[in-house]
Amino acid sequence: MNPSRPEPVQVVKHRRDAALRGLLSGVPYIAYLGIQFDRRGDELTAILPFDEKLIGNPALPALHGGVTAAFLEVAAIIELAWGSMWDEMEAGRVDPVADMGKVRLPKTIDFTVDYLRSGLPRDAYARARINRSGRRYASVHVEAWQDNRSRLFAQGTGHFLMPPALGASGE
Amino acid sequence: MTDIIRIARQFIEAIPHARALGMAFESLGDGKAVISMPYDPRFVGDPATGVIHGGAVSALMDTASGAAVMCHPTGPTSTATLDLRIDYFRAATPGQAITARAECYHVTRSVAFVRVTATDEDAARPVAAATGAFTLDRPRKETA
C-alpha cells in the first residue's frame, strides 16, 4: 500500500481483465448467448454479437424479446457484481484468479423491460447504471442500443438481492 | 378457430430463438398458451447450483405470451412485446423442465395485456411470473 509508486499499467490491466473473465466464465448462459464485455477502466459495455439463433421474428427479422430481456439482465447483474468487487480487487484483498470461484452473483428480484423499437439483426450494446446499491438490495437501470447510442432499442430497470460481500468474513 | 391455432403454431415454430431453447407447445388456443422448455446445462446461470438463468425463463415467458396473443379469437396477424415485467420467486429446480402458462386477459384494438406464470415440476410453487403489454396487428377487413 505505498501510494508513491503507481503500479505498472500491465499489472493493473491484467488484474482487472482476469477478474472480469473470472466473473463471466462461470456462467454458461452468458456464453450461450455470446455476450461479451468491453472494459474501459471500471466502465463496462455489454456486447451481444448478432446470431441467427437470437431471432424472434423471422419476418422482419427482429431479435427475440426474451433475448433482449436476458441481455439487459446479464448487463445489470455483471455491472453489480463488478461494482461490488472493484474496491476489494483494487485494494488487493481479492485475488482476481483464486477468489473468483467464491463470487456469488446478485439474484434478480424483478426486472422490467421497455421495448422501444425492434431489435435489428445486428450487434447490440448495453450499459448499466447502478442507481442504488445497499447491503441487501440494489436497483439498476440498463440502456441498450444498436447503431446509435442515442436511439435506444430497449431499456430496463431491475431490483436485485445482493450476495454477502467477498471480503465479509462470515457476516 | 383451428386456423388461428395453426397460424399461431407456425408462428412460434418459425422463431429461431424458441427452437434454439428447445421450446415445445403443450396447448394453445383462445388467447392462452402453454409452452415448456427442457432443462439444458447450456442455459445455466449459476454453475454452483446448476440453476437455469433468469434470462432463459424470461425468453420462455415472452414466447408463451406472444403465442397467447397470436391465438386470441380476434385473429391477430402479428405481435411484438411493448413491455414485460418479470418477478422471480425462487430458483428453478435443476434438472426439471420449466413450463410457462400465458393468458391474454384483455385486448383492445391495438394492444394485448398478458399475464404468464412459470413453474417447474412443483406446479404449486411458481418459479416466476410476468405481466406484459403486446402490440396487436388486426387482420385487414375483407371488403364484401
Side-chain angles (χ1 to χ4, degrees), chain A residues 26 29 53 55-56 58 64 73 109-111 113 115, chain B residues 14-15 17 44 47 63 81-88:
Chain A
Y29 189 63
K53 73 172 184 233
I55 288 288
H64 194 289
E73 194 182 324
I109 299 167
D110 62 61
F111 201 75
V113 186
Y115 296 89
Chain B
I15 299 175
H17 193 64
V44 165
T63 306
T81 319
L82 277 173
D83 87 76
L84 192 69
R85 181 212 153 99
I86 307 138
D87 292 330
Y88 295 98

mmCIF file with all atom_site columns, all heavy atoms in Angstrom, chain A residues 26 29 53 55-56 58 64 73 109-111 113 115, chain B residues 14-15 17 44 47 63 81-88:
data_model
loop_
_atom_site.group_PDB
_atom_site.id
_atom_site.type_symbol
_atom_site.label_atom_id
_atom_site.label_alt_id
_atom_site.label_comp_id
_atom_site.label_asym_id
_atom_site.label_entity_id
_atom_site.label_seq_id
_atom_site.pdbx_PDB_ins_code
_atom_site.Cartn_x
_atom_site.Cartn_y
_atom_site.Cartn_z
_atom_site.occupancy
_atom_site.B_iso_or_equiv
_atom_site.pdbx_formal_charge
_atom_site.auth_seq_id
_atom_site.auth_comp_id
_atom_site.auth_asym_id
_atom_site.auth_atom_id
_atom_site.pdbx_PDB_model_num
ATOM 1   N N   . GLY A 1 26  ? -17.828 -18.335 -15.512 1.00 0.00 ? 26  GLY A N   1
ATOM 2   C CA  . GLY A 1 26  ? -18.585 -19.326 -14.764 1.00 0.00 ? 26  GLY A CA  1
ATOM 3   C C   . GLY A 1 26  ? -20.024 -19.473 -15.199 1.00 0.00 ? 26  GLY A C   1
ATOM 4   O O   . GLY A 1 26  ? -20.721 -20.371 -14.738 1.00 0.00 ? 26  GLY A O   1
ATOM 5   N N   . TYR A 1 29  ? -24.889 -19.589 -19.534 1.00 0.00 ? 29  TYR A N   1
ATOM 6   C CA  . TYR A 1 29  ? -25.904 -18.898 -20.335 1.00 0.00 ? 29  TYR A CA  1
ATOM 7   C C   . TYR A 1 29  ? -25.340 -17.651 -21.015 1.00 0.00 ? 29  TYR A C   1
ATOM 8   O O   . TYR A 1 29  ? -25.746 -17.300 -22.127 1.00 0.00 ? 29  TYR A O   1
ATOM 9   C CB  . TYR A 1 29  ? -27.106 -18.540 -19.457 1.00 0.00 ? 29  TYR A CB  1
ATOM 10  C CG  . TYR A 1 29  ? -28.296 -18.011 -20.228 1.00 0.00 ? 29  TYR A CG  1
ATOM 11  C CD1 . TYR A 1 29  ? -28.955 -18.808 -21.159 1.00 0.00 ? 29  TYR A CD1 1
ATOM 12  C CD2 . TYR A 1 29  ? -28.767 -16.720 -20.029 1.00 0.00 ? 29  TYR A CD2 1
ATOM 13  C CE1 . TYR A 1 29  ? -30.042 -18.331 -21.868 1.00 0.00 ? 29  TYR A CE1 1
ATOM 14  C CE2 . TYR A 1 29  ? -29.862 -16.234 -20.735 1.00 0.00 ? 29  TYR A CE2 1
ATOM 15  C CZ  . TYR A 1 29  ? -30.494 -17.044 -21.651 1.00 0.00 ? 29  TYR A CZ  1
ATOM 16  O OH  . TYR A 1 29  ? -31.568 -16.564 -22.348 1.00 0.00 ? 29  TYR A OH  1
ATOM 17  N N   . LYS A 1 53  ? -29.637 -17.482 -34.184 1.00 0.00 ? 53  LYS A N   1
ATOM 18  C CA  . LYS A 1 53  ? -30.457 -18.135 -33.153 1.00 0.00 ? 53  LYS A CA  1
ATOM 19  C C   . LYS A 1 53  ? -31.101 -17.133 -32.185 1.00 0.00 ? 53  LYS A C   1
ATOM 20  O O   . LYS A 1 53  ? -31.900 -17.516 -31.345 1.00 0.00 ? 53  LYS A O   1
ATOM 21  C CB  . LYS A 1 53  ? -29.619 -19.152 -32.374 1.00 0.00 ? 53  LYS A CB  1
ATOM 22  C CG  . LYS A 1 53  ? -28.616 -18.536 -31.421 1.00 0.00 ? 53  LYS A CG  1
ATOM 23  C CD  . LYS A 1 53  ? -27.958 -19.584 -30.537 1.00 0.00 ? 53  LYS A CD  1
ATOM 24  C CE  . LYS A 1 53  ? -27.034 -18.896 -29.545 1.00 0.00 ? 53  LYS A CE  1
ATOM 25  N NZ  . LYS A 1 53  ? -25.687 -19.380 -29.519 1.00 0.00 ? 53  LYS A NZ  1
ATOM 26  N N   . ILE A 1 55  ? -32.947 -14.625 -33.183 1.00 0.00 ? 55  ILE A N   1
ATOM 27  C CA  . ILE A 1 55  ? -34.102 -14.042 -33.876 1.00 0.00 ? 55  ILE A CA  1
ATOM 28  C C   . ILE A 1 55  ? -35.424 -14.497 -33.241 1.00 0.00 ? 55  ILE A C   1
ATOM 29  O O   . ILE A 1 55  ? -35.599 -15.664 -32.920 1.00 0.00 ? 55  ILE A O   1
ATOM 30  C CB  . ILE A 1 55  ? -34.079 -14.461 -35.376 1.00 0.00 ? 55  ILE A CB  1
ATOM 31  C CG1 . ILE A 1 55  ? -32.959 -13.719 -36.101 1.00 0.00 ? 55  ILE A CG1 1
ATOM 32  C CG2 . ILE A 1 55  ? -35.413 -14.226 -36.051 1.00 0.00 ? 55  ILE A CG2 1
ATOM 33  C CD1 . ILE A 1 55  ? -33.218 -12.248 -36.312 1.00 0.00 ? 55  ILE A CD1 1
ATOM 34  N N   . GLY A 1 56  ? -36.332 -13.542 -33.053 1.00 0.00 ? 56  GLY A N   1
ATOM 35  C CA  . GLY A 1 56  ? -37.641 -13.858 -32.512 1.00 0.00 ? 56  GLY A CA  1
ATOM 36  C C   . GLY A 1 56  ? -38.742 -13.687 -33.534 1.00 0.00 ? 56  GLY A C   1
ATOM 37  O O   . GLY A 1 56  ? -39.782 -14.322 -33.457 1.00 0.00 ? 56  GLY A O   1
ATOM 38  N N   . PRO A 1 58  ? -38.886 -13.872 -37.549 1.00 0.00 ? 58  PRO A N   1
ATOM 39  C CA  . PRO A 1 58  ? -38.128 -14.093 -38.787 1.00 0.00 ? 58  PRO A CA  1
ATOM 40  C C   . PRO A 1 58  ? -38.648 -13.262 -39.964 1.00 0.00 ? 58  PRO A C   1
ATOM 41  O O   . PRO A 1 58  ? -37.930 -13.050 -40.935 1.00 0.00 ? 58  PRO A O   1
ATOM 42  C CB  . PRO A 1 58  ? -38.300 -15.593 -39.049 1.00 0.00 ? 58  PRO A CB  1
ATOM 43  C CG  . PRO A 1 58  ? -39.476 -16.002 -38.251 1.00 0.00 ? 58  PRO A CG  1
ATOM 44  C CD  . PRO A 1 58  ? -39.668 -15.036 -37.142 1.00 0.00 ? 58  PRO A CD  1
ATOM 45  N N   . HIS A 1 64  ? -35.337 -11.611 -30.627 1.00 0.00 ? 64  HIS A N   1
ATOM 46  C CA  . HIS A 1 64  ? -36.371 -12.109 -29.738 1.00 0.00 ? 64  HIS A CA  1
ATOM 47  C C   . HIS A 1 64  ? -36.453 -11.211 -28.495 1.00 0.00 ? 64  HIS A C   1
ATOM 48  O O   . HIS A 1 64  ? -35.426 -10.832 -27.942 1.00 0.00 ? 64  HIS A O   1
ATOM 49  C CB  . HIS A 1 64  ? -36.026 -13.543 -29.324 1.00 0.00 ? 64  HIS A CB  1
ATOM 50  C CG  . HIS A 1 64  ? -37.170 -14.276 -28.681 1.00 0.00 ? 64  HIS A CG  1
ATOM 51  N ND1 . HIS A 1 64  ? -37.614 -13.967 -27.421 1.00 0.00 ? 64  HIS A ND1 1
ATOM 52  C CD2 . HIS A 1 64  ? -37.948 -15.288 -29.123 1.00 0.00 ? 64  HIS A CD2 1
ATOM 53  C CE1 . HIS A 1 64  ? -38.622 -14.778 -27.120 1.00 0.00 ? 64  HIS A CE1 1
ATOM 54  N NE2 . HIS A 1 64  ? -38.844 -15.589 -28.137 1.00 0.00 ? 64  HIS A NE2 1
ATOM 55  N N   . GLU A 1 73  ? -30.609 -8.041  -18.560 1.00 0.00 ? 73  GLU A N   1
ATOM 56  C CA  . GLU A 1 73  ? -30.481 -8.581  -17.209 1.00 0.00 ? 73  GLU A CA  1
ATOM 57  C C   . GLU A 1 73  ? -29.037 -9.002  -16.926 1.00 0.00 ? 73  GLU A C   1
ATOM 58  O O   . GLU A 1 73  ? -28.507 -8.741  -15.834 1.00 0.00 ? 73  GLU A O   1
ATOM 59  C CB  . GLU A 1 73  ? -31.442 -9.767  -17.034 1.00 0.00 ? 73  GLU A CB  1
ATOM 60  C CG  . GLU A 1 73  ? -31.620 -10.156 -15.575 1.00 0.00 ? 73  GLU A CG  1
ATOM 61  C CD  . GLU A 1 73  ? -32.531 -11.364 -15.400 1.00 0.00 ? 73  GLU A CD  1
ATOM 62  O OE1 . GLU A 1 73  ? -33.507 -11.505 -16.162 1.00 0.00 ? 73  GLU A OE1 1
ATOM 63  O OE2 . GLU A 1 73  ? -32.246 -12.171 -14.497 1.00 0.00 ? 73  GLU A OE2 1
ATOM 64  N N   . ILE A 1 109 ? -34.647 -9.896  -8.366  1.00 0.00 ? 109 ILE A N   1
ATOM 65  C CA  . ILE A 1 109 ? -35.948 -9.913  -7.684  1.00 0.00 ? 109 ILE A CA  1
ATOM 66  C C   . ILE A 1 109 ? -37.038 -9.630  -8.711  1.00 0.00 ? 109 ILE A C   1
ATOM 67  O O   . ILE A 1 109 ? -38.012 -10.363 -8.839  1.00 0.00 ? 109 ILE A O   1
ATOM 68  C CB  . ILE A 1 109 ? -35.992 -8.847  -6.563  1.00 0.00 ? 109 ILE A CB  1
ATOM 69  C CG1 . ILE A 1 109 ? -34.913 -9.139  -5.516  1.00 0.00 ? 109 ILE A CG1 1
ATOM 70  C CG2 . ILE A 1 109 ? -37.380 -8.803  -5.938  1.00 0.00 ? 109 ILE A CG2 1
ATOM 71  C CD1 . ILE A 1 109 ? -34.673 -7.994  -4.545  1.00 0.00 ? 109 ILE A CD1 1
ATOM 72  N N   . ASP A 1 110 ? -36.872 -8.545  -9.454  1.00 0.00 ? 110 ASP A N   1
ATOM 73  C CA  . ASP A 1 110 ? -37.787 -8.259  -10.557 1.00 0.00 ? 110 ASP A CA  1
ATOM 74  C C   . ASP A 1 110 ? -37.034 -7.486  -11.628 1.00 0.00 ? 110 ASP A C   1
ATOM 75  O O   . ASP A 1 110 ? -35.990 -6.887  -11.363 1.00 0.00 ? 110 ASP A O   1
ATOM 76  C CB  . ASP A 1 110 ? -39.026 -7.480  -10.095 1.00 0.00 ? 110 ASP A CB  1
ATOM 77  C CG  . ASP A 1 110 ? -38.673 -6.123  -9.525  1.00 0.00 ? 110 ASP A CG  1
ATOM 78  O OD1 . ASP A 1 110 ? -38.108 -5.288  -10.264 1.00 0.00 ? 110 ASP A OD1 1
ATOM 79  O OD2 . ASP A 1 110 ? -38.964 -5.889  -8.338  1.00 0.00 ? 110 ASP A OD2 1
ATOM 80  N N   . PHE A 1 111 ? -37.563 -7.547  -12.838 1.00 0.00 ? 111 PHE A N   1
ATOM 81  C CA  . PHE A 1 111 ? -36.923 -6.864  -13.956 1.00 0.00 ? 111 PHE A CA  1
ATOM 82  C C   . PHE A 1 111 ? -37.992 -6.417  -14.940 1.00 0.00 ? 111 PHE A C   1
ATOM 83  O O   . PHE A 1 111 ? -38.864 -7.207  -15.311 1.00 0.00 ? 111 PHE A O   1
ATOM 84  C CB  . PHE A 1 111 ? -35.916 -7.805  -14.646 1.00 0.00 ? 111 PHE A CB  1
ATOM 85  C CG  . PHE A 1 111 ? -34.884 -7.062  -15.445 1.00 0.00 ? 111 PHE A CG  1
ATOM 86  C CD1 . PHE A 1 111 ? -33.852 -6.399  -14.805 1.00 0.00 ? 111 PHE A CD1 1
ATOM 87  C CD2 . PHE A 1 111 ? -34.953 -7.007  -16.828 1.00 0.00 ? 111 PHE A CD2 1
ATOM 88  C CE1 . PHE A 1 111 ? -32.900 -5.691  -15.532 1.00 0.00 ? 111 PHE A CE1 1
ATOM 89  C CE2 . PHE A 1 111 ? -34.009 -6.302  -17.559 1.00 0.00 ? 111 PHE A CE2 1
ATOM 90  C CZ  . PHE A 1 111 ? -32.970 -5.646  -16.913 1.00 0.00 ? 111 PHE A CZ  1
ATOM 91  N N   . VAL A 1 113 ? -38.744 -4.563  -18.628 1.00 0.00 ? 113 VAL A N   1
ATOM 92  C CA  . VAL A 1 113 ? -38.127 -4.191  -19.900 1.00 0.00 ? 113 VAL A CA  1
ATOM 93  C C   . VAL A 1 113 ? -39.094 -3.360  -20.726 1.00 0.00 ? 113 VAL A C   1
ATOM 94  O O   . VAL A 1 113 ? -40.261 -3.708  -20.876 1.00 0.00 ? 113 VAL A O   1
ATOM 95  C CB  . VAL A 1 113 ? -37.727 -5.441  -20.721 1.00 0.00 ? 113 VAL A CB  1
ATOM 96  C CG1 . VAL A 1 113 ? -36.961 -5.029  -21.961 1.00 0.00 ? 113 VAL A CG1 1
ATOM 97  C CG2 . VAL A 1 113 ? -36.903 -6.391  -19.884 1.00 0.00 ? 113 VAL A CG2 1
ATOM 98  N N   . TYR A 1 115 ? -39.630 -2.118  -24.460 1.00 0.00 ? 115 TYR A N   1
ATOM 99  C CA  . TYR A 1 115 ? -39.174 -2.362  -25.832 1.00 0.00 ? 115 TYR A CA  1
ATOM 100 C C   . TYR A 1 115 ? -39.490 -1.121  -26.651 1.00 0.00 ? 115 TYR A C   1
ATOM 101 O O   . TYR A 1 115 ? -40.649 -0.810  -26.894 1.00 0.00 ? 115 TYR A O   1
ATOM 102 C CB  . TYR A 1 115 ? -39.861 -3.601  -26.399 1.00 0.00 ? 115 TYR A CB  1
ATOM 103 C CG  . TYR A 1 115 ? -39.476 -4.857  -25.645 1.00 0.00 ? 115 TYR A CG  1
ATOM 104 C CD1 . TYR A 1 115 ? -40.192 -5.281  -24.539 1.00 0.00 ? 115 TYR A CD1 1
ATOM 105 C CD2 . TYR A 1 115 ? -38.369 -5.608  -26.028 1.00 0.00 ? 115 TYR A CD2 1
ATOM 106 C CE1 . TYR A 1 115 ? -39.831 -6.429  -23.842 1.00 0.00 ? 115 TYR A CE1 1
ATOM 107 C CE2 . TYR A 1 115 ? -37.998 -6.747  -25.342 1.00 0.00 ? 115 TYR A CE2 1
ATOM 108 C CZ  . TYR A 1 115 ? -38.738 -7.152  -24.246 1.00 0.00 ? 115 TYR A CZ  1
ATOM 109 O OH  . TYR A 1 115 ? -38.368 -8.285  -23.556 1.00 0.00 ? 115 TYR A OH  1
ATOM 110 N N   . ALA B 2 14  ? -41.573 -21.035 -36.231 1.00 0.00 ? 14  ALA B N   1
ATOM 111 C CA  . ALA B 2 14  ? -40.664 -20.336 -37.147 1.00 0.00 ? 14  ALA B CA  1
ATOM 112 C C   . ALA B 2 14  ? -39.705 -19.416 -36.392 1.00 0.00 ? 14  ALA B C   1
ATOM 113 O O   . ALA B 2 14  ? -38.883 -18.745 -37.004 1.00 0.00 ? 14  ALA B O   1
ATOM 114 C CB  . ALA B 2 14  ? -41.486 -19.522 -38.143 1.00 0.00 ? 14  ALA B CB  1
ATOM 115 N N   . ILE B 2 15  ? -39.807 -19.371 -35.057 1.00 0.00 ? 15  ILE B N   1
ATOM 116 C CA  . ILE B 2 15  ? -38.937 -18.477 -34.270 1.00 0.00 ? 15  ILE B CA  1
ATOM 117 C C   . ILE B 2 15  ? -37.622 -19.189 -33.948 1.00 0.00 ? 15  ILE B C   1
ATOM 118 O O   . ILE B 2 15  ? -37.608 -20.137 -33.166 1.00 0.00 ? 15  ILE B O   1
ATOM 119 C CB  . ILE B 2 15  ? -39.633 -18.064 -32.952 1.00 0.00 ? 15  ILE B CB  1
ATOM 120 C CG1 . ILE B 2 15  ? -40.919 -17.300 -33.259 1.00 0.00 ? 15  ILE B CG1 1
ATOM 121 C CG2 . ILE B 2 15  ? -38.693 -17.238 -32.089 1.00 0.00 ? 15  ILE B CG2 1
ATOM 122 C CD1 . ILE B 2 15  ? -41.728 -16.952 -32.036 1.00 0.00 ? 15  ILE B CD1 1
ATOM 123 N N   . HIS B 2 17  ? -35.140 -18.447 -32.057 1.00 0.00 ? 17  HIS B N   1
ATOM 124 C CA  . HIS B 2 17  ? -34.715 -18.500 -30.657 1.00 0.00 ? 17  HIS B CA  1
ATOM 125 C C   . HIS B 2 17  ? -35.561 -19.467 -29.833 1.00 0.00 ? 17  HIS B C   1
ATOM 126 O O   . HIS B 2 17  ? -35.071 -20.082 -28.890 1.00 0.00 ? 17  HIS B O   1
ATOM 127 C CB  . HIS B 2 17  ? -34.733 -17.113 -30.020 1.00 0.00 ? 17  HIS B CB  1
ATOM 128 C CG  . HIS B 2 17  ? -34.021 -17.077 -28.702 1.00 0.00 ? 17  HIS B CG  1
ATOM 129 N ND1 . HIS B 2 17  ? -32.668 -17.323 -28.591 1.00 0.00 ? 17  HIS B ND1 1
ATOM 130 C CD2 . HIS B 2 17  ? -34.467 -16.896 -27.430 1.00 0.00 ? 17  HIS B CD2 1
ATOM 131 C CE1 . HIS B 2 17  ? -32.325 -17.264 -27.314 1.00 0.00 ? 17  HIS B CE1 1
ATOM 132 N NE2 . HIS B 2 17  ? -33.387 -17.010 -26.589 1.00 0.00 ? 17  HIS B NE2 1
ATOM 133 N N   . VAL B 2 44  ? -27.628 -22.580 -17.933 1.00 0.00 ? 44  VAL B N   1
ATOM 134 C CA  . VAL B 2 44  ? -27.409 -22.389 -16.501 1.00 0.00 ? 44  VAL B CA  1
ATOM 135 C C   . VAL B 2 44  ? -26.871 -20.975 -16.228 1.00 0.00 ? 44  VAL B C   1
ATOM 136 O O   . VAL B 2 44  ? -26.029 -20.465 -16.957 1.00 0.00 ? 44  VAL B O   1
ATOM 137 C CB  . VAL B 2 44  ? -26.444 -23.470 -15.969 1.00 0.00 ? 44  VAL B CB  1
ATOM 138 C CG1 . VAL B 2 44  ? -25.894 -23.103 -14.598 1.00 0.00 ? 44  VAL B CG1 1
ATOM 139 C CG2 . VAL B 2 44  ? -27.167 -24.821 -15.913 1.00 0.00 ? 44  VAL B CG2 1
ATOM 140 N N   . PRO B 2 47  ? -23.439 -21.692 -11.964 1.00 0.00 ? 47  PRO B N   1
ATOM 141 C CA  . PRO B 2 47  ? -22.807 -23.007 -12.073 1.00 0.00 ? 47  PRO B CA  1
ATOM 142 C C   . PRO B 2 47  ? -22.651 -23.729 -10.736 1.00 0.00 ? 47  PRO B C   1
ATOM 143 O O   . PRO B 2 47  ? -22.577 -24.953 -10.701 1.00 0.00 ? 47  PRO B O   1
ATOM 144 C CB  . PRO B 2 47  ? -21.435 -22.693 -12.687 1.00 0.00 ? 47  PRO B CB  1
ATOM 145 C CG  . PRO B 2 47  ? -21.214 -21.245 -12.469 1.00 0.00 ? 47  PRO B CG  1
ATOM 146 C CD  . PRO B 2 47  ? -22.552 -20.595 -12.368 1.00 0.00 ? 47  PRO B CD  1
ATOM 147 N N   . THR B 2 63  ? -42.114 -15.769 -25.032 1.00 0.00 ? 63  THR B N   1
ATOM 148 C CA  . THR B 2 63  ? -42.613 -16.559 -26.158 1.00 0.00 ? 63  THR B CA  1
ATOM 149 C C   . THR B 2 63  ? -44.042 -17.045 -25.909 1.00 0.00 ? 63  THR B C   1
ATOM 150 O O   . THR B 2 63  ? -44.905 -16.948 -26.783 1.00 0.00 ? 63  THR B O   1
ATOM 151 C CB  . THR B 2 63  ? -41.696 -17.775 -26.421 1.00 0.00 ? 63  THR B CB  1
ATOM 152 O OG1 . THR B 2 63  ? -40.362 -17.311 -26.582 1.00 0.00 ? 63  THR B OG1 1
ATOM 153 C CG2 . THR B 2 63  ? -42.127 -18.531 -27.670 1.00 0.00 ? 63  THR B CG2 1
ATOM 154 N N   . THR B 2 81  ? -43.536 -7.417  -28.293 1.00 0.00 ? 81  THR B N   1
ATOM 155 C CA  . THR B 2 81  ? -43.586 -7.033  -26.884 1.00 0.00 ? 81  THR B CA  1
ATOM 156 C C   . THR B 2 81  ? -43.381 -5.527  -26.744 1.00 0.00 ? 81  THR B C   1
ATOM 157 O O   . THR B 2 81  ? -42.438 -4.973  -27.292 1.00 0.00 ? 81  THR B O   1
ATOM 158 C CB  . THR B 2 81  ? -42.496 -7.764  -26.077 1.00 0.00 ? 81  THR B CB  1
ATOM 159 O OG1 . THR B 2 81  ? -42.418 -9.109  -26.516 1.00 0.00 ? 81  THR B OG1 1
ATOM 160 C CG2 . THR B 2 81  ? -42.798 -7.734  -24.600 1.00 0.00 ? 81  THR B CG2 1
ATOM 161 N N   . LEU B 2 82  ? -44.297 -4.874  -26.008 1.00 0.00 ? 82  LEU B N   1
ATOM 162 C CA  . LEU B 2 82  ? -44.113 -3.455  -25.672 1.00 0.00 ? 82  LEU B CA  1
ATOM 163 C C   . LEU B 2 82  ? -43.374 -3.330  -24.351 1.00 0.00 ? 82  LEU B C   1
ATOM 164 O O   . LEU B 2 82  ? -42.433 -2.570  -24.220 1.00 0.00 ? 82  LEU B O   1
ATOM 165 C CB  . LEU B 2 82  ? -45.475 -2.758  -25.548 1.00 0.00 ? 82  LEU B CB  1
ATOM 166 C CG  . LEU B 2 82  ? -46.137 -2.289  -26.829 1.00 0.00 ? 82  LEU B CG  1
ATOM 167 C CD1 . LEU B 2 82  ? -47.552 -1.783  -26.529 1.00 0.00 ? 82  LEU B CD1 1
ATOM 168 C CD2 . LEU B 2 82  ? -45.331 -1.180  -27.469 1.00 0.00 ? 82  LEU B CD2 1
ATOM 169 N N   . ASP B 2 83  ? -43.857 -4.064  -23.347 1.00 0.00 ? 83  ASP B N   1
ATOM 170 C CA  . ASP B 2 83  ? -43.113 -4.117  -22.095 1.00 0.00 ? 83  ASP B CA  1
ATOM 171 C C   . ASP B 2 83  ? -43.423 -5.413  -21.379 1.00 0.00 ? 83  ASP B C   1
ATOM 172 O O   . ASP B 2 83  ? -44.450 -6.042  -21.609 1.00 0.00 ? 83  ASP B O   1
ATOM 173 C CB  . ASP B 2 83  ? -43.397 -2.884  -21.222 1.00 0.00 ? 83  ASP B CB  1
ATOM 174 C CG  . ASP B 2 83  ? -44.611 -3.058  -20.349 1.00 0.00 ? 83  ASP B CG  1
ATOM 175 O OD1 . ASP B 2 83  ? -44.510 -3.769  -19.335 1.00 0.00 ? 83  ASP B OD1 1
ATOM 176 O OD2 . ASP B 2 83  ? -45.669 -2.498  -20.673 1.00 0.00 ? 83  ASP B OD2 1
ATOM 177 N N   . LEU B 2 84  ? -42.479 -5.816  -20.538 1.00 0.00 ? 84  LEU B N   1
ATOM 178 C CA  . LEU B 2 84  ? -42.625 -7.071  -19.802 1.00 0.00 ? 84  LEU B CA  1
ATOM 179 C C   . LEU B 2 84  ? -42.002 -6.851  -18.434 1.00 0.00 ? 84  LEU B C   1
ATOM 180 O O   . LEU B 2 84  ? -40.858 -6.412  -18.334 1.00 0.00 ? 84  LEU B O   1
ATOM 181 C CB  . LEU B 2 84  ? -41.899 -8.197  -20.555 1.00 0.00 ? 84  LEU B CB  1
ATOM 182 C CG  . LEU B 2 84  ? -42.160 -9.628  -20.100 1.00 0.00 ? 84  LEU B CG  1
ATOM 183 C CD1 . LEU B 2 84  ? -43.600 -10.042 -20.440 1.00 0.00 ? 84  LEU B CD1 1
ATOM 184 C CD2 . LEU B 2 84  ? -41.195 -10.595 -20.782 1.00 0.00 ? 84  LEU B CD2 1
ATOM 185 N N   . ARG B 2 85  ? -42.788 -7.113  -17.383 1.00 0.00 ? 85  ARG B N   1
ATOM 186 C CA  . ARG B 2 85  ? -42.249 -7.020  -16.018 1.00 0.00 ? 85  ARG B CA  1
ATOM 187 C C   . ARG B 2 85  ? -42.221 -8.426  -15.431 1.00 0.00 ? 85  ARG B C   1
ATOM 188 O O   . ARG B 2 85  ? -43.239 -9.101  -15.332 1.00 0.00 ? 85  ARG B O   1
ATOM 189 C CB  . ARG B 2 85  ? -43.108 -6.112  -15.146 1.00 0.00 ? 85  ARG B CB  1
ATOM 190 C CG  . ARG B 2 85  ? -42.537 -5.998  -13.721 1.00 0.00 ? 85  ARG B CG  1
ATOM 191 C CD  . ARG B 2 85  ? -43.618 -5.812  -12.674 1.00 0.00 ? 85  ARG B CD  1
ATOM 192 N NE  . ARG B 2 85  ? -43.150 -6.330  -11.371 1.00 0.00 ? 85  ARG B NE  1
ATOM 193 C CZ  . ARG B 2 85  ? -42.665 -5.563  -10.398 1.00 0.00 ? 85  ARG B CZ  1
ATOM 194 N NH1 . ARG B 2 85  ? -42.589 -4.287  -10.542 1.00 0.00 ? 85  ARG B NH1 1
ATOM 195 N NH2 . ARG B 2 85  ? -42.269 -6.112  -9.267  1.00 0.00 ? 85  ARG B NH2 1
ATOM 196 N N   . ILE B 2 86  ? -41.035 -8.849  -15.061 1.00 0.00 ? 86  ILE B N   1
ATOM 197 C CA  . ILE B 2 86  ? -40.838 -10.215 -14.588 1.00 0.00 ? 86  ILE B CA  1
ATOM 198 C C   . ILE B 2 86  ? -40.522 -10.211 -13.102 1.00 0.00 ? 86  ILE B C   1
ATOM 199 O O   . ILE B 2 86  ? -39.652 -9.460  -12.653 1.00 0.00 ? 86  ILE B O   1
ATOM 200 C CB  . ILE B 2 86  ? -39.669 -10.879 -15.354 1.00 0.00 ? 86  ILE B CB  1
ATOM 201 C CG1 . ILE B 2 86  ? -39.886 -10.764 -16.861 1.00 0.00 ? 86  ILE B CG1 1
ATOM 202 C CG2 . ILE B 2 86  ? -39.516 -12.335 -14.954 1.00 0.00 ? 86  ILE B CG2 1
ATOM 203 C CD1 . ILE B 2 86  ? -38.631 -10.414 -17.623 1.00 0.00 ? 86  ILE B CD1 1
ATOM 204 N N   . ASP B 2 87  ? -41.223 -11.046 -12.342 1.00 0.00 ? 87  ASP B N   1
ATOM 205 C CA  . ASP B 2 87  ? -40.928 -11.229 -10.911 1.00 0.00 ? 87  ASP B CA  1
ATOM 206 C C   . ASP B 2 87  ? -40.346 -12.628 -10.728 1.00 0.00 ? 87  ASP B C   1
ATOM 207 O O   . ASP B 2 87  ? -40.943 -13.611 -11.176 1.00 0.00 ? 87  ASP B O   1
ATOM 208 C CB  . ASP B 2 87  ? -42.214 -11.104 -10.081 1.00 0.00 ? 87  ASP B CB  1
ATOM 209 C CG  . ASP B 2 87  ? -42.775 -9.692  -10.096 1.00 0.00 ? 87  ASP B CG  1
ATOM 210 O OD1 . ASP B 2 87  ? -41.983 -8.747  -10.224 1.00 0.00 ? 87  ASP B OD1 1
ATOM 211 O OD2 . ASP B 2 87  ? -44.010 -9.549  -9.989  1.00 0.00 ? 87  ASP B OD2 1
ATOM 212 N N   . TYR B 2 88  ? -39.194 -12.699 -10.086 1.00 0.00 ? 88  TYR B N   1
ATOM 213 C CA  . TYR B 2 88  ? -38.571 -14.000 -9.829  1.00 0.00 ? 88  TYR B CA  1
ATOM 214 C C   . TYR B 2 88  ? -38.843 -14.418 -8.388  1.00 0.00 ? 88  TYR B C   1
ATOM 215 O O   . TYR B 2 88  ? -38.457 -13.719 -7.459  1.00 0.00 ? 88  TYR B O   1
ATOM 216 C CB  . TYR B 2 88  ? -37.062 -13.921 -10.065 1.00 0.00 ? 88  TYR B CB  1
ATOM 217 C CG  . TYR B 2 88  ? -36.698 -13.649 -11.503 1.00 0.00 ? 88  TYR B CG  1
ATOM 218 C CD1 . TYR B 2 88  ? -36.388 -12.366 -11.933 1.00 0.00 ? 88  TYR B CD1 1
ATOM 219 C CD2 . TYR B 2 88  ? -36.673 -14.680 -12.442 1.00 0.00 ? 88  TYR B CD2 1
ATOM 220 C CE1 . TYR B 2 88  ? -36.060 -12.109 -13.252 1.00 0.00 ? 88  TYR B CE1 1
ATOM 221 C CE2 . TYR B 2 88  ? -36.337 -14.431 -13.757 1.00 0.00 ? 88  TYR B CE2 1
ATOM 222 C CZ  . TYR B 2 88  ? -36.035 -13.144 -14.158 1.00 0.00 ? 88  TYR B CZ  1
ATOM 223 O OH  . TYR B 2 88  ? -35.710 -12.888 -15.465 1.00 0.00 ? 88  TYR B OH  1
#
